[in-house]
Amino acid sequence: MQSTAFDFENNAHKALDDAELRQAMARVATNFTGGRAAAAARLPEFEALRDRAVEIKNHTIANLDHYLALFERNVEKRGGKVHWCATPREARETILSLCRQVGARTVTKGKSMIAEEIALNPFLAENGVEPIETDLGEYIIQLADEPPSHIIGPAVHKTKRQVADLFHEHHRKYGKEKILTEGGDMVAEAREILRQKFLDADVGITGANFLVAETGSTIIVTNEGNGDLTQTLPQMHIVISAIDKVVPNLEDVSTILRVLARSATGQEMSVYTTFSTGPRRDGDLDGPGQFHVVLLDNGRSGLLGTEKQDLLRCIRCGACMNHCPVYHAVGGHAYGWVYPGPIGAAIDPVFLGLEEARHLPQASTFCGKCEQVCPMRIPLPKIMRHWREESFERRVTPVVPRTLMEAWAFVARHPRLYGLGARLAARILKALGRDGKIVSLPLGSGWTDGRDFPAPEGRTFQEMWSARRGARS
Amino acid sequence: MTQKPRVALFVTCLVDLHRPSVGFAAVKLIEEAGAEVFVPAAQTCCGQPAYNSGDRKDAIAIARQVIATFEDAPYVVAPSGSCAGMIRHHYPALFAGDPAWKARADRLAAKTYELVSFLTDVMGVERVAAALPARATYHDSCSGLRELGIKEQPRKLLATVDGLDLVELPGAETCCGFGGTFCVKYPEVSVEMVQRKADDVAATGADLLLAGDLGCLLNMAGKLSRDGRAIAVRHVAEVLAGVTDTPAMGKD
Amino acid sequence: MTARDRLFANLGRALAMAPGRVSPAEAAARLDRRTPNLIPDRAQGSGEELVERFVQWAERVQATTARVATLADVPAAAADFLNRHNLPQRLRLAPHPLIEGLDWSSRPLIEVASGRAEAHDLSSLALAFAGIAETGTLMLHSGPQTPTTLNFLPDNHIVLLPARAIAGSYEAAWARLRAAFGDDWPRTVNLVTGPSRTADIEQELILGAHGPRRLHIIIVDDDARQEG
């Protein structure tokens, strides 16, 4: 997708003005957080499982080449094929050429963030292959021609009324004239229309939540069953995934599965966890005849050995955004690219470059909630801070805030000068106050446009302590 | 007779400039807990604004100054979870590549405390001698809560304030939107966040809002004031010390 | 150089000195040990205890269950389910001897056919390889006798689960699958926890998004094949 990350401020401004979005986001804030808390509380071993999950991923990352090679061997042993792609472009072209091999006209798609990352849909459409999103949320935003606003709930920003309007507009061609009001009727209508698409598709493309080295299996975790119809019915199953998804064996993935759904939706387990290993076997009555795994790097390997390596542990559960007060306020689209919320703020600069994504790591209060709930204990604020440092050093941070910061720091390094400045500021601000508050702060409209600034008491603690001859050592 | 523990007060830049009465309340509480307080003159700020803005060079320079100023003190106490968290958690990280300074940062980190947790966890304070007839609610500031695990300590002491009725704030652990320079870098987002906080506070029916960090308090007091809410806002130390004859924040 | 070669060269360089790096032999040994990492208490236990826990968690996620003594009781249990929901008396059966061997003569109205599921099939009767008590999860796998379409195309997914196939944990179920298949791993393994659902519209939970609207699990205490 085309990034608008650079426009974060504008995007956020628009989002804050959008009444329906605010209504939709209020639900995210309560439902997901409550669900996770309840699920974690039901499983006494939850925190210990998080620790084990972190260990597993750290071990895997330190031996990534080994496990990727093993994964490839096992895929091929079962008759599948792995395609290694360094860039989004290579991945898109690999997928298109596979589709062309079977003369595909339509492909059904399960939800895949990597497919968003490589902007697969517009590319396939331009090249005469029609992609059909089948996850209900993805289907809704495909109709709306919008990017996802959440990594597990792509349409969380839409209200029921908006979905009804979209269905009314796009389903008329299937003879569906009624404007629906009930969620259940909308789901039933989408189910009916998409069922035929599943049956007609030439290729099914899914993502993968995990890759299991031991067996050469790819795993999808879904609730709807769309991913299973996507990959079972067509003659070819293409998995688009990335190199950071591999885990050593089934024991390891079982541990991580125990924290995935609980962190994401608060479910004990998602409805369908499907392990796919090669194409259909001799004698099988169904399943795809071909199995391809397209594995994308797109800069991930460059994170190894850096202070941002921990990002490779991410299992894309969405807990960080579900709990993020900034995300709750502005929604996912404000971030302007595929991965919103705290994980996006930490990882989007890898894919977009810091110049384009410079706002994202700044747009956090460092409240720490994301790190607290991340099942993989990724230190998201710390990684955002590293980006801020890089931004400052490389002068991606604009000159005004940078200069102000350096000037302030100069004063803070000189206690006498600082004391003088503080005494002066205390008096000026006190004088600006009316009834104890300042309603308009010169050069501080960022503060006072939306709230008052309480006036200070007028003298500094240090001068008062000196006046009282308080102990200094 | 055993000597009283000696505590260096890290005033914090916001208390120094904005609300000295919080500093004096802290001094009173520490002294009542049986310790002696001194206030090193050469202190300014913990350096967090530079650190969180990516200005690592200046953050390190300021941290060195704080370490040099406070490292001889037996204890360092700050009336802020944010500043104490900076010294306890982030100073050692700043000097990860510098063993000599890392060792000094570690030593300082180990003896630095946020005020209320110092009173309860180090000095063993179980009750305070304050009284205030009010219906209060408490916001957990993020750094204190998540970096230092401060949750029960202020509630435990507030429960001993005579006449004070403490009601839990729904979403007490949700950030108020202050975030240091965040509140002026992304003011619209920040205001939206503090709006939600202010609404939650108002919904409790409390007439007094307390927290342990002046940054959050300025933000929340500013919003409640702009919204015309008659809710007083104070640092928790003021109430615990029984020093509430000063105007509440943003009041005259 | 191919993209693969470049990637592995990069990985090799970046990881050569990585903390936690082990030799290929050590990594292989770790893999072969297949040691479970941490099994929650909830997944421990045996026998009846596990069956009850399986039922409890499966029903929490809107699956329904029936418990019968022998395979001879399965047709009646399946018929009860169809009647309860007013469904057509037709079933697509897994072409597995255990399912095909069921005697439907007591339920002559039910029309049965075995094979993979087709688009028009409304109800299927599949065979689970295992049950997993800790979350009420079924494990099913693909194969000539157990086609995967049975688990997804029909609106109503009836699954026969032998009581002795209920394991405590995912790991215990994997161990059984490895024992059964060795290196000849099936194309698809489905872990199924309740019927299909979505919460994509205003986070309202709606069953039957794309997969089955209903999941009915018939637990059979004694799955010895009937004689004659």
Side-chain angles (χ1 to χ4, degrees):
Chain A
M1 67 182 269
Q2 185 62 45
S3 163
T4 65
F6 191 77
D7 250 348
F8 175 82
E9 287 167 300
N10 236 329
N11 296 345
H13 174 78
K14 273 185 261 170
L16 290 168
D17 256 0
D18 183 336
E20 282 196 282
L21 176 67
R22 297 165 70 102
Q23 195 189 327
M25 295 314 296
R27 263 188 296 273
V28 175
T30 48
N31 292 359
F32 281 126
T33 49
R36 177 200 177 271
R42 280 193 298 267
L43 190 67
E45 297 88 348
F46 187 71
E47 293 302 316
L49 282 162
R50 285 173 70 186
D51 293 334
R52 300 309 294 267
V54 169
E55 285 167 28
I56 290 165
K57 282 290 267 189
N58 283 346
H59 167 79
T60 313
I61 293 164
N63 300 281
L64 191 58
D65 47 351
H66 175 81
Y67 289 116
L68 284 172
L70 182 62
F71 171 76
E72 179 184 40
R73 273 204 302 284
N74 283 322
V75 169
E76 293 184 348
K77 194 160 103 187
R78 268 95 182 181
K81 171 94 183 113
V82 176
H83 307 262
W84 304 91
C85 299
T87 63
R89 192 180 139 181
E90 284 175 34
R92 286 192 298 265
E93 283 171 355
T94 302
I95 292 171
L96 178 64
S97 86
L98 289 168
C99 290
R100 284 189 169 148
Q101 243 180 60
V102 290
R105 283 165 306 137
T106 65
V107 306
T108 42
K109 279 186 67 206
K111 217 180 88 53
S112 157
M113 293 313 294
I114 310 285
E116 299 288 343
E117 193 179 315
I118 66 170
L120 181 61
N121 284 1
F123 180 77
L124 288 179
E126 280 160 28
N127 287 281
V129 179
E130 186 197 351
I132 298 154
E133 294 290 350
T134 63
D135 168 86
L136 183 64
E138 287 284 347
Y139 177 68
I140 290 166
I141 60 164
Q142 190 180 31
L143 295 182
D145 194 22
E146 285 176 17
S149 70
H150 188 288
I151 62 173
I152 65 161
V156 285
H157 60 288
K158 290 270 183 243
T159 60
K160 192 184 286 188
R161 198 190 57 77
Q162 290 173 320
V163 176
D165 289 348
L166 277 170
F167 280 13
H168 182 62
E169 179 190 344
H170 292 273
H171 288 174
R172 255 178 297 192
K173 62 175 181 260
Y174 304 106
K176 307 284 181 194
E177 298 286 349
K178 244 175 90 183
I179 300 179
L180 303 174
T181 53
E182 293 303 313
D185 294 336
M186 297 177 205
V187 172
E189 190 171 286
R191 176 187 171 105
E192 184 188 330
I193 286 164
L194 286 169
R195 183 53 69 99
Q196 195 56 47
K197 308 280 186 192
F198 285 122
L199 296 165
D200 294 343
D202 306 295
V203 172
I205 300 176
T206 67
N209 292 76
F210 306 99
L211 312 168
V212 185
E214 171 199 9
T215 56
S217 308
T218 65
I219 300 178
I220 57 170
V221 177
T222 72
N223 280 314
E224 298 183 1
N226 64 306
D228 291 279
L229 292 169
T230 294
Q231 68 171 48
T232 305
L233 299 174
Q235 55 182 309
M236 178 187 278
H237 176 198
I238 302 173
V239 178
I240 168 76
S241 191
I243 58 169
D244 51 335
K245 301 284 188 184
V246 72
V247 292
N249 65 14
L250 296 165
E251 280 70 18
D252 296 322
V253 84
S254 300
T255 299
I256 300 175
L257 282 170
R258 287 193 182 98
V259 296
L260 173 59
R262 291 182 172 101
S263 299
T265 56
Q267 289 170 283
E268 297 289 318
M269 182 77 166
S270 298
V271 177
Y272 301 114
T273 303
T274 297
F275 297 65
S276 305
T277 315
R280 71 200 282 175
R281 308 286 192 265
D282 287 346
D284 279 358
L285 305 178
D286 51 25
Q290 289 192 53
F291 178 68
H292 297 274
V293 184
V294 177
L295 278 189
L296 179 70
D297 181 355
N298 199 19
R300 287 167 172 79
S301 59
L303 295 174
L304 292 168
T306 73
E307 66 278 359
K308 303 183 188 92
Q309 171 175 308
D310 291 342
L311 288 170
L312 297 173
R313 285 205 300 266
C314 178
I315 54 173
R316 304 288 188 267
C317 69
C320 59
M321 59 198 74
N322 290 343
H323 290 78
C324 175
V326 175
Y327 179 90
H328 292 161
V330 300
H333 285 160
Y335 291 81
W337 202 60
V338 173
Y339 303 104
I343 184 63
I347 208 169
D348 288 352
V350 175
F351 304 124
L352 297 174
L354 189 51
E355 283 75 7
E356 171 66 21
R358 76 169 179 88
H359 278 295
L360 306 187
Q362 307 281 349
S364 162
T365 62
F366 284 168
C367 80
K369 188 73 191 175
C370 51
E371 180 174 357
Q372 187 191 356
V373 298
C374 172
M376 305 309 291
R377 303 196 194 280
I378 300 171
L380 291 157
K382 183 175 133 197
I383 293 170
M384 287 182 234
R385 190 182 292 106
H386 280 301
W387 286 119
R388 294 184 188 185
E389 287 172 357
E390 202 172 319
S391 225
F392 201 90
E393 279 155 28
R394 285 176 36 204
R395 304 183 169 228
V396 176
T397 303
V399 61
V400 171
R402 218 175 56 233
T403 311
L404 282 175
M405 184 48 64
E406 284 170 341
W408 172 85
F410 177 83
V411 177
R413 291 202 314 271
H414 296 84
R416 295 176 74 98
L417 179 62
Y418 183 91
L420 189 68
R423 288 195 292 278
L424 200 62
R427 282 163 177 80
I428 293 173
L429 289 169
K430 163 86 171 167
L432 285 172
R434 292 287 172 274
D435 304 329
K437 59 180 189 263
I438 303 168
V439 296
S440 175
L441 206 52
L443 303 175
S445 63
W447 184 288
T448 50
D449 277 356
R451 58 209 141 182
D452 294 340
F453 188 81
E457 293 177 337
R459 297 176 69 197
T460 67
F461 178 85
Q462 290 285 20
E463 64 177 310
M464 293 168 78
W465 187 256
S466 290
R468 293 185 187 190
R469 302 186 181 281
R472 287 300 190 178
S473 60
Chain B
M1 189 184 130
T2 52
Q3 264 198 330
K4 284 184 173 182
R6 301 201 71 234
V7 172
L9 184 70
F10 187 84
V11 182
T12 80
C13 55
L14 284 177
V15 167
D16 180 49
L17 169 72
H18 200 276
R19 203 161 171 79
S21 49
V22 174
F24 288 106
V27 170
K28 182 163 183 264
L29 284 165
I30 298 168
E31 287 177 348
E32 283 172 0
E36 263 174 29
V37 179
F38 65 102
V39 184
Q43 56 178 306
T44 60
C45 166
C46 66
Q48 199 173 172
Y51 183 55
N52 284 347
S53 296
D55 182 359
R56 194 178 175 91
K57 202 168 102 257
D58 280 321
I60 287 175
I62 295 169
R64 284 193 171 136
Q65 191 174 292
V66 172
I67 293 169
T69 305
F70 284 90
E71 64 190 337
D72 292 332
Y75 292 104
V76 178
V77 172
S80 158
S82 177
C83 310
M86 177 72 191
I87 298 173
R88 278 189 78 100
H89 288 280
H90 298 291
Y91 277 16
L94 271 176
F95 297 105
D98 182 343
W101 275 98
K102 170 79 162 59
R104 294 171 72 178
D106 284 341
R107 276 197 300 276
L108 180 64
K111 58 188 179 189
T112 298
Y113 295 88
E114 178 275 339
L115 172 67
V116 180
S117 57
F118 174 77
L119 296 176
T120 57
D121 304 352
V122 178
M123 300 303 293
V125 173
E126 300 207 328
R127 51 186 314 110
V128 292
L132 183 67
R135 183 175 165 87
T137 194
Y138 185 88
H139 164 76
D140 294 286
S141 294
C142 300
S143 305
L145 175 71
R146 281 183 271 270
E147 288 182 347
L148 304 175
I150 297 166
K151 178 78 187 176
E152 292 313 317
Q153 298 93 323
R155 288 172 174 76
K156 185 176 132 190
L157 293 188
L158 284 169
T160 69
V161 174
D162 205 22
L164 193 81
D165 176 20
L166 190 66
V167 289
E168 269 305 314
L169 172 64
E173 298 188 358
T174 302
C175 178
C176 73
F178 173 66
T181 54
F182 174 87
C183 66
V184 285
K185 275 190 296 190
Y186 302 100
E188 288 184 308
V189 185
S190 173
V191 167
E192 170 68 18
M193 291 162 72
V194 73
Q195 179 74 67
R196 294 177 187 203
K197 180 61 71 177
D199 293 345
D200 285 347
V201 171
T204 62
D207 51 28
L208 175 64
L209 170 64
L210 302 173
D213 262 284
L214 214 47
C216 319
L217 286 162
L218 283 170
N219 188 35
M220 296 185 294
K223 188 66 208 167
L224 288 165
S225 162
R226 177 62 55 93
D227 290 354
R229 306 268 196 197
I231 297 171
V233 180
R234 291 185 185 276
H235 191 285
V236 65
E238 299 172 46
V239 172
L240 294 179
V243 186
T244 47
D245 49 347
T246 51
M249 294 178 68
K251 309 278 183 203
D252 210 355
Chain C
M1 235 166 112
T2 64
R4 184 192 189 284
D5 297 337
R6 272 195 305 275
L7 172 68
F8 278 86
N10 285 346
L11 294 177
R13 248 196 320 277
L15 294 170
M17 307 298 287
R21 184 86 171 154
V22 301
S23 69
E26 283 171 83
R30 179 189 183 280
L31 208 66
D32 289 341
R33 279 196 298 275
R34 290 169 177 159
T35 315
N37 296 294
L38 194 171
I39 311 279
D41 270 353
R42 186 204 279 184
Q44 317 280 0
S46 61
E48 188 54 29
E49 198 185 353
L50 290 183
V51 177
E52 281 168 18
R53 204 171 304 149
F54 173 89
V55 167
Q56 173 204 334
W57 285 106
E59 292 186 343
R60 255 184 98 121
V61 289
Q62 291 82 27
T64 52
T65 62
R67 190 141 178 210
V68 300
T70 68
L71 286 173
D73 304 316
V74 171
D80 283 351
F81 171 81
L82 295 178
N83 291 335
R84 190 159 61 243
H85 298 287
N86 230 346
L87 294 166
Q89 305 281 305
R90 266 196 310 278
L91 271 180
R92 178 70 68 175
L93 306 183
H96 188 282
L98 199 126
I99 303 264
E100 287 185 321
L102 295 171
D103 178 6
W104 295 90
S105 58
S106 69
R107 292 290 182 278
L109 292 178
I110 299 188
E111 208 179 295
V112 295
S114 23
R116 57 159 284 171
E118 301 298 340
H120 56 267
D121 287 331
L122 273 180
S123 305
S124 62
L125 177 57
L127 176 67
F129 175 81
I132 297 157
E134 68 171 296
T135 45
T137 298
L138 294 167
M139 177 183 276
L140 306 104
H141 61 75
S142 62
Q145 301 173 341
T146 48
T148 298
T149 41
L150 294 175
N151 307 334
F152 293 96
L153 276 175
D155 278 14
N156 304 287
H157 188 204
I158 309 174
V159 180
L160 191 160
L161 171 66
R164 63 188 175 88
I166 296 177
S169 62
Y170 311 117
E171 288 85 344
W174 290 126
R176 293 183 193 189
L177 196 74
R178 282 191 188 111
F181 285 89
D183 220 23
D184 196 13
W185 202 251
R187 142 77 195 168
T188 303
V189 178
N190 296 118
L191 301 185
V192 176
T193 313
S196 161
R197 69 201 54 207
T198 185
D200 275 345
I201 301 174
E202 290 193 352
Q203 295 176 51
E204 178 192 355
L205 179 69
I206 293 161
L207 297 183
H210 288 293
R213 297 169 206 266
R214 297 189 188 91
L215 170 64
H216 186 60
I217 304 167
I218 302 175
I219 300 169
V220 185
D221 283 338
D222 174 7
D223 60 308
R225 299 271 296 281
Q226 296 147 283
E227 296 299 320

